[in-house]
Amino acid sequence: MADPRLEGRAVKRIAYSAEQIAERVRELGRDITSAYPDGDLLVLGLLKGSFIFLSDLVRCINRPLAVDFLVASSYGNGTVSSGLVHLVYDPETELEGKHILLVEDIVDSGRTLNSVIDVLRARKPRSLEICAMLDKHISTHLEYPPKFIGFDAPHEFLVGYGLDHAESFRHLPYIASLQ
Ligand code: IMP
Ligand code: MG
């Protein structure tokens, strides 16, 4: 039966089912819990793509933490990444002295991530690591590779579980490529 959420499109392939995602998120939560035995932890979601992943992930992290978000925007026309970003929404939370875990939906070229990291590093956190739900492993020169990765993603355009195509399909409970 056609999925009514797909606006008439068809799934080519379900890359990760809701069950596979839930299992992997629980494992990531355990890894993250044991990686931070002490100190203040701030889980910082890069919007919009990380919103579903982050909300599931923080419920699997079994230690105190705070949540904030940031919105980054590339300079330029947006079709060709210039590699420069500015923060459209800047976290209100103080970063200095805290463990910062930056949560991203998918690492493609890694440009977005690396620019954001430079901005955050200047605020003198105690540590700064990245947790990416998906990593396409396209970039070989990432200055800050993610410490925590949900899945090594195929080189296809994926939607669902936060990932969009022109703002649609973020609410799919699975991750898929479309026809
Ligand atoms: P990067 O700066 O090239 O790493 O691009 C990362 C951003 O591009 C992600 O945060 C996503 O918003 C978007 N993106 C990259 N690949 C995909 C995909 O397969 N599906 C949906 N969005 C993607
Ligand atoms: Mg996006």
Side-chain angles (χ1 to χ4, degrees), residues 119-136:
V119 173
L120 298 179
R121 188 158 289 293
R123 311 219 177 143
K124 303 188 172 29
R126 177 169 166 186
S127 71
L128 182 54
E129 298 291 354
I130 296 158
C131 177
M133 176 174 70
L134 299 165
D135 189 345
K136 287 189 177 171

Side-chain angles (χ1 to χ4, degrees), residues 13 22 25 34 46 51 61 64-65 71 81 92 95 97 107 119 121 134 137 147 151 165-166 173 175:
R13 191 169 77 85
V25 169
S34 54
L46 195 51
F51 81 110
I61 300 176
L65 59 79
V71 180
S81 179
E92 289 170 350
L95 305 192
V107 182
V119 173
R121 188 158 289 293
L134 299 165
H137 292 281
K147 176 168 180 167
F151 299 103
H165 172 60
I175 297 172

Side-chain angles (χ1 to χ4, degrees), residues 13-17 20-22 24-25 28 46 49-54 57 102-113 130-139 142 144-164 169-170 172-177:
R13 191 169 77 85
I14 297 207
Y16 307 101
S17 68
Q20 284 175 300
I21 296 168
R24 186 68 190 116
V25 169
L28 283 173
L46 195 51
S50 71
F51 81 110
I52 294 179
F53 175 50
L54 181 140
L57 182 66
L102 182 63
V103 178
E104 163 78 312
D105 53 0
I106 186 165
V107 182
D108 190 347
S109 73
R111 280 196 204 96
T112 314
L113 207 52
I130 296 158
C131 177
M133 176 174 70
L134 299 165
D135 189 345
K136 287 189 177 171
H137 292 281
I138 284 173
S139 177
L142 268 190
Y144 307 104
K147 176 168 180 167
F148 306 98
I149 296 170
F151 299 103
D152 296 326
H155 293 184
E156 299 171 63
F157 195 82
L158 300 169
V159 296
Y161 200 68
L163 294 168
D164 73 304
F169 316 121
R170 290 195 198 272
L172 300 177
Y174 49 84
I175 297 172
S177 56

